[in-house]
Amino acid sequence: MNVNEAIDLLKHNGYKATGKRKDILDYFSEQDGYRTAKDLITHLENDNETVSFDTIYRNLHLYKEMGILETTELNGEKHFRMNCAKHHHHHFICNECGRTKAIDVCPMADVKKSLANYAIEGHKFEIYGLCPNCQNN
Amino acid sequence: MNVNEAIDLLKHNGYKATGKRKDILDYFSEQDGYRTAKDLITHLENDNETVSFDTIYRNLHLYKEMGILETTELNGEKHFRMNCAKHHHHHFICNECGRTKAIDVCPMADVKKSLANYAIEGHKFEIYGLCPNCQNN
DNA sequence: TTTACAAATCGGAATCATTACGTTATTATA
DNA sequence: TATAATAACGTAATGATTCCGATTTGTAAA
């Protein structure tokens, strides 16, 4: 997913491509890991943009709903990143810098047989630690 | 892990076995799924106990550190349950009632080879949905 | 290219979970 | 049972997120 794809997706679904929405997309497209709402706000403030919590959170949720961003929750705080899912996969997430590495293993096939009468609605598989880069600090 | 084991563990580590600590253990021992701090507080208030946030959260964290409780984060809220880990496993968690079912599959063995230069510090594998009981409501 | 209006943003207040703190009470043990 | 350390109390503070009424903006049609 890149910025233009996301903007097309917005318009296609009847949403307006506003300045703030583009700013938010720009930010996430140039990051390559999970970032928080606070990270985004700090970035926008450094660019001397006005920032309303309402706008930030409303759009983050919208982007999540539309599959433009993917999210996870770390230390009680929601984290967001551009959706990189051409196909189903999971992530290693660096505890230091938030950068991710895709993991193609998915254990769900092995699991489903043991959950015969259960209605499965979702799953989460994440690995946490330090990426090669952050181990040298 | 049951209440007596937990109390022994407390004393063994130099912690006092206070009334509040026992109340908290009693609550979680009679639940069989993930519960929040709020759930616990409500329960204690219904028993006409005085409840201080400080006491609740301090002890929940203590129990987590000691391995008496295990925790997960759902919808921005920490959830706790008695630790059931005799051996390593994961959980199906019911979105409705919080009850869990143990899953013995762990994908980490398959994953480690693709993370050769990464320092792995932890992982999370959870499955969400409705348990057989909650599908009929 | 203006107009109109639905949709989005703004700014700030409110909420919810969690943490912090100074004081008081309780526990283990000598 | 006296003592000292630990824990609980009550409440205030914090931090992330949500909500709200007023204002502005993007878009499609005139």
Side-chain angles (χ1 to χ4, degrees):
Chain A
M1 181 78 63
N2 63 40
V3 174
N4 288 330
E5 286 171 349
I7 290 176
D8 288 347
L9 202 56
L10 276 174
K11 291 186 174 172
H12 237 260
N13 287 77
Y15 293 103
K16 296 179 180 172
T18 64
K20 274 287 162 337
R21 284 190 174 147
K22 288 175 191 165
D23 293 337
I24 295 173
L25 290 173
D26 284 340
Y27 174 71
F28 282 105
S29 75
E30 68 197 19
Q31 302 296 316
D32 64 344
Y34 276 105
R35 299 289 175 253
T36 65
K38 171 119 286 200
D39 291 334
L40 169 60
I41 290 169
T42 301
H43 169 84
L44 293 176
E45 284 176 344
N46 288 343
D47 277 8
N48 288 326
E49 302 219 29
T50 59
V51 174
S52 167
F53 292 144
D54 188 62
T55 303
I56 298 299
Y57 284 104
R58 188 165 27 73
N59 285 314
L60 288 175
H61 289 153
L62 174 65
Y63 287 161
K64 177 190 176 164
E65 287 310 306
M66 298 185 70
I68 292 171
L69 294 181
E70 44 189 321
T71 75
T72 190
E73 197 152 341
L74 305 170
N75 308 315
E77 206 172 350
K78 286 182 184 93
H79 288 59
F80 303 83
R81 56 160 297 149
M82 272 291 184
N83 191 337
C84 54
K86 305 294 185 206
H87 65 289
H88 179 73
H89 67 264
H90 297 282
H91 281 131
F92 169 93
I93 304 173
C94 180
N95 283 330
E96 190 66 29
C97 68
R99 274 193 273 259
T100 56
K101 180 185 191 325
I103 302 291
D104 283 322
V105 173
C106 179
M108 284 309 288
D110 299 333
V111 161
K112 280 183 177 149
K113 59 183 73 107
S114 65
L115 289 169
N117 298 314
Y118 289 72
I120 296 174
E121 299 181 338
H123 67 283
K124 180 173 197 168
F125 175 38
E126 285 177 346
I127 301 150
Y128 311 105
L130 296 178
C131 70
N133 213 36
C134 289
Q135 290 174 49
N136 307 317
N137 296 332
Chain B
M1 181 79 62
N2 65 41
V3 174
N4 287 331
E5 285 171 348
I7 291 176
D8 287 348
L9 202 55
L10 276 175
K11 291 186 174 173
H12 238 260
N13 287 77
Y15 293 103
K16 294 180 180 170
T18 64
K20 274 287 164 333
R21 285 192 172 145
K22 288 176 193 164
D23 292 338
I24 296 173
L25 290 173
D26 284 341
Y27 174 71
F28 282 104
S29 74
E30 69 198 19
Q31 302 295 316
D32 65 344
Y34 277 104
R35 301 288 175 253
T36 65
K38 169 119 288 197
D39 292 334
L40 169 61
I41 289 168
T42 300
H43 169 84
L44 293 175
E45 284 176 345
N46 288 344
D47 277 8
N48 289 326
E49 302 219 28
T50 58
V51 174
S52 167
F53 291 143
D54 187 64
T55 304
I56 299 298
Y57 285 103
R58 189 166 26 75
N59 284 315
L60 289 175
H61 289 152
L62 174 64
Y63 287 161
K64 178 190 177 165
E65 287 309 306
M66 297 184 71
I68 292 171
L69 294 180
E70 45 190 320
T71 75
T72 191
E73 198 150 340
L74 304 170
N75 310 316
E77 207 173 348
K78 288 185 184 91
H79 287 59
F80 302 84
R81 58 160 294 151
M82 271 291 184
N83 192 336
C84 55
K86 305 293 188 209
H87 64 291
H88 179 72
H89 67 266
H90 297 284
H91 279 133
F92 169 92
I93 303 173
C94 181
N95 282 329
E96 190 67 29
C97 68
R99 274 192 273 260
T100 56
K101 180 184 189 330
I103 301 291
D104 283 323
V105 172
C106 179
M108 284 308 288
D110 299 334
V111 160
K112 281 184 177 150
K113 59 184 74 107
S114 65
L115 289 169
N117 298 314
Y118 290 72
I120 297 174
E121 299 181 338
H123 69 281
K124 181 172 195 166
F125 176 38
E126 285 177 345
I127 301 151
Y128 311 105
L130 296 177
C131 69
N133 213 35
C134 288
Q135 289 174 52
N136 307 318
N137 295 333

